[in-house]
Amino acid sequence: MITSHTLNVHFWLKKSSVRKDGTFPIYARISIGSASRVDLSTKQNVLEQNWCDKSSRVGKRIKDARRINDELDAIYSEIKKAYRELRNEGVPISAKAVKLRCTGKDRPVSTIRDLIQYHTENDLKKLAPGTAKNYAATEKYILRFVKSEYKCDDIYLSQIDYTFIVKFEDYLRDCKTLKKAQPLNNNGRMKHLERLKKFTTLALKHRWIKSNPFALYQLKYEDFDCPFLEENELKTISSITLTDDSLSIVRDVFVFSCYTGLCYIEVKNLKTGDIVNGIDKEDWIMGRRQKSKTPVKLPLLEQAKRILEKYQEVSQDVHTNKLLPVFSDQKINKYLKEIAKLCKIEKNLTFHVARHTFATTVTLLNDVPIETVSKMLGHTKLSTTQKYARVVEQKISKDMSSLRSKLKQTNRTSTKSKTYKDNGHLRIV
């Protein structure tokens, strides 16, 4: 019997399983204390007369003795290694846990590649497709950085610390990008670091690392103003005659989003049952936001209603009850750029511009309170809406113009009613 602290490993012959050639399989019995015990097959066999119970090994003068004994020594070393790993991880140790670790059925997540693989197999499927697809690029950048910085293909999770994060940020700033047409700006770098942070948080939760490497690091996003259509631009896109059917469909779907604030996937999934009779007996859109899952109750404006009526008979899918024919987001964004060119709009037109247009031009600039806009956008925080619905110069000008009028009126009234006595005579100024 060989002992290491509370770990005991004993090799023995399983005499209940004799083989055709008269040999017996050799097993390793793993014991932790007196209560936890399991057996592990060594995949080695020997005749009973060639086995030494005292040394728990094959007799030295027997053929193949050295090879078999070397294999048993290697198995013993693996068992000890598995035991040490579990002890260092601070997890509850049992004989079964040691066996699982030895056989690879409890493969430890100890390197950055292990962590990425674990995330891919277990967590990636829980994310929305649009979010999940971005992880592939982050993984490539991380592994490229490891290769560049450490001159190897993998590193232990224990090597990921604050210095690693700072160096990775520097690497992203100067490295060759995956796509030449898409350089990494500050927010792009922060997105990759944010995903790395999610990897390390996952490792921290599973106790694969002992401390949070991002504890002293702060992601620094720059404010980004997504473009939106001004009133005249929205009218131009809505009214332009398009001879290409695909462009016409994309324009209509885009304009529908401008007047509802729904994002791409919400417009794509919009079904007959989502249009209901609201509290004012008018048509409303009722459902849940794709991202936050918060309820949405949105009165259907006339412009959006006309688009639904246009496609009521020609496009409604009888199997899914979807109301609008929506292409892939890549195709839509491609066609939107063509439409912008035809309309002579010098803005980077993407489908997300529609949501910002709803928040600014359609609602905020028409004096809809920001609290109402926030509710219709499905935001849980007003601060989120303030980023979407910027108080643009046109709104500021409009508000200040109203204030000037009020102040002039107040000043005029105040001047007319101001009186005082001068040498006993009443004067009005």
Side-chain angles (χ1 to χ4, degrees):
M1 185 177 289
I2 308 168
T3 306
S4 174
H5 299 292
T6 59
L7 170 70
N8 295 304
V9 182
H10 174 67
F11 292 101
W12 59 287
L13 296 186
K14 190 175 184 180
K15 296 180 181 180
S16 61
S17 301
V18 63
R19 298 181 180 277
K20 291 181 180 180
D21 60 359
T23 61
F24 295 95
I26 304 172
Y27 272 75
R29 178 157 292 165
I30 304 170
S31 302
I32 305 291
S34 59
S36 180
R37 186 178 73 178
V38 294
D39 292 330
L40 172 67
S41 173
T42 66
K43 295 182 173 56
Q44 304 298 318
N45 307 293
V46 68
L47 291 169
E48 184 178 1
Q49 62 266 28
N50 296 335
W51 180 255
C52 177
D53 287 324
K54 186 176 181 180
S55 65
S56 296
R57 292 291 188 278
V58 177
K60 293 182 179 179
R61 296 183 180 180
I62 307 302
K63 184 183 178 181
D64 276 347
R66 185 171 182 178
R67 179 188 63 78
I68 295 174
N69 288 337
D70 285 349
E71 185 64 28
L72 297 183
D73 289 340
I75 290 172
Y76 170 66
S77 296
E78 283 298 315
I79 292 171
K80 283 192 67 177
K81 179 184 176 184
Y83 174 77
R84 285 196 301 270
E85 286 177 355
L86 292 170
R87 190 175 60 184
N88 291 337
E89 290 169 15
V91 299
I93 302 175
S94 66
K96 184 177 181 180
V98 173
K99 178 182 177 179
L100 290 173
R101 181 61 61 91
C102 282
T103 56
K105 293 179 180 178
D106 172 33
R107 187 172 62 84
V109 175
S110 58
T111 69
I112 188 67
R113 283 185 179 272
D114 290 340
L115 183 57
I116 289 172
Q117 184 177 344
Y118 181 91
H119 179 268
T120 301
E121 293 174 355
N122 297 277
D123 285 33
L124 200 63
K125 58 190 175 185
K126 300 174 187 177
L127 304 175
T131 303
K133 68 179 177 64
N134 295 319
Y135 276 83
T138 299
E139 291 163 10
K140 287 179 182 178
Y141 277 122
I142 291 172
L143 296 177
R144 282 186 180 185
F145 166 67
V146 168
K147 185 77 173 177
S148 171
E149 181 68 23
Y150 299 90
K151 312 303 178 188
C152 58
D153 294 326
D154 204 1
I155 61 168
Y156 288 106
L157 294 180
S158 57
Q159 293 175 263
I160 301 177
D161 53 13
Y162 179 84
T163 302
F164 178 96
I165 296 167
V166 172
K167 286 185 176 180
F168 181 50
E169 181 186 353
D170 291 339
Y171 172 80
L172 291 175
R173 188 175 286 107
D174 301 322
C175 73
K176 183 180 179 181
T177 57
L178 297 177
K179 294 182 180 180
K180 291 183 180 179
Q182 294 180 0
L184 277 175
N185 56 23
N186 177 78
N187 288 0
R189 294 191 293 272
M190 290 301 112
K191 275 295 181 182
H192 290 302
L193 284 159
E194 184 180 305
R195 294 182 199 112
L196 173 61
K197 184 178 180 181
K198 288 180 180 178
F199 285 145
T200 58
T201 300
L202 178 65
L204 192 64
K205 287 178 179 178
H206 284 280
R207 301 172 72 178
W208 297 327
I209 55 176
K210 295 180 179 179
S211 60
N212 179 13
F214 276 88
L216 299 176
Y217 184 88
Q218 186 175 4
L219 297 170
K220 306 177 189 71
Y221 283 100
E222 293 176 354
D223 289 337
F224 171 71
D225 281 341
C226 177
F228 62 94
L229 296 180
E230 295 181 19
E231 186 177 0
N232 63 316
E233 293 171 328
L234 180 55
K235 285 180 179 178
T236 300
I237 285 183
S238 300
S239 60
I240 188 173
T241 301
L242 298 170
T243 55
D244 185 291
D245 289 341
S246 294
L247 291 181
S248 182
I249 290 171
V250 168
R251 183 268 308 277
D252 290 341
V253 172
F254 176 79
V255 170
F256 178 83
S257 179
C258 287
Y259 285 102
T260 59
L262 299 180
C263 69
Y264 166 79
I265 194 65
E266 291 164 351
V267 175
K268 185 174 183 179
N269 292 336
L270 192 65
K271 299 178 181 179
T272 307
D274 296 328
I275 309 298
V276 301
N277 204 247
I279 192 172
D280 54 1
K281 307 303 179 184
E282 296 288 343
D283 287 337
W284 285 50
I285 296 175
M286 290 199 183
R288 288 189 177 274
R289 290 295 178 187
Q290 179 72 19
K291 189 174 182 179
S292 63
K293 303 302 179 185
T294 54
V296 57
K297 297 179 181 179
L298 179 70
L300 201 58
L301 296 174
E302 192 61 35
Q303 293 88 338
K305 192 185 298 185
R306 284 199 298 267
I307 292 172
L308 289 182
E309 290 170 352
K310 176 179 178 180
Y311 291 93
Q312 188 171 9
E313 295 181 0
V314 297
S315 70
Q316 186 168 329
D317 191 321
V318 294
H319 300 292
T320 63
N321 287 324
K322 291 185 178 179
L323 293 174
L324 292 170
V326 181
F327 301 148
S328 68
D329 53 349
Q330 293 91 346
K331 188 176 287 188
I332 281 184
N333 287 332
K334 178 185 175 183
Y335 286 153
L336 282 174
K337 285 171 176 53
E338 292 183 34
I339 293 170
K341 193 173 182 180
L342 291 171
C343 294
K344 297 181 180 179
I345 295 174
E346 296 180 359
K347 290 179 180 177
N348 181 25
L349 210 57
T350 64
F351 198 85
H352 199 59
V353 170
R355 189 162 163 84
H356 285 257
T357 300
F358 175 79
T360 53
T361 305
V362 174
T363 56
L364 184 66
L365 291 178
N366 283 304
D367 298 322
V368 177
I370 195 168
E371 294 81 5
T372 304
V373 176
S374 183
K375 199 81 171 178
M376 290 191 291
L377 289 173
H379 292 161
T380 54
K381 295 179 180 178
L382 192 62
S383 58
T384 307
T385 314
Q386 289 168 336
K387 293 178 182 178
Y388 268 82
R390 281 95 54 217
V391 183
V392 290
E393 291 180 7
Q394 189 177 344
K395 175 66 175 172
I396 294 172
S397 175
K398 187 177 179 181
D399 289 344
M400 291 305 290
S401 178
S402 176
L403 177 61
R404 286 191 191 96
S405 298
K406 288 179 181 179
L407 290 175
K408 284 180 181 179
Q409 183 64 33
T410 302
N411 187 55
R412 192 178 297 114
T413 304
S414 175
T415 302
K416 287 183 178 179
S417 60
K418 186 178 179 181
T419 62
Y420 64 93
K421 287 185 177 180
D422 182 17
N423 295 326
H425 298 285
L426 186 66
R427 290 195 177 189
I428 299 175
V429 181

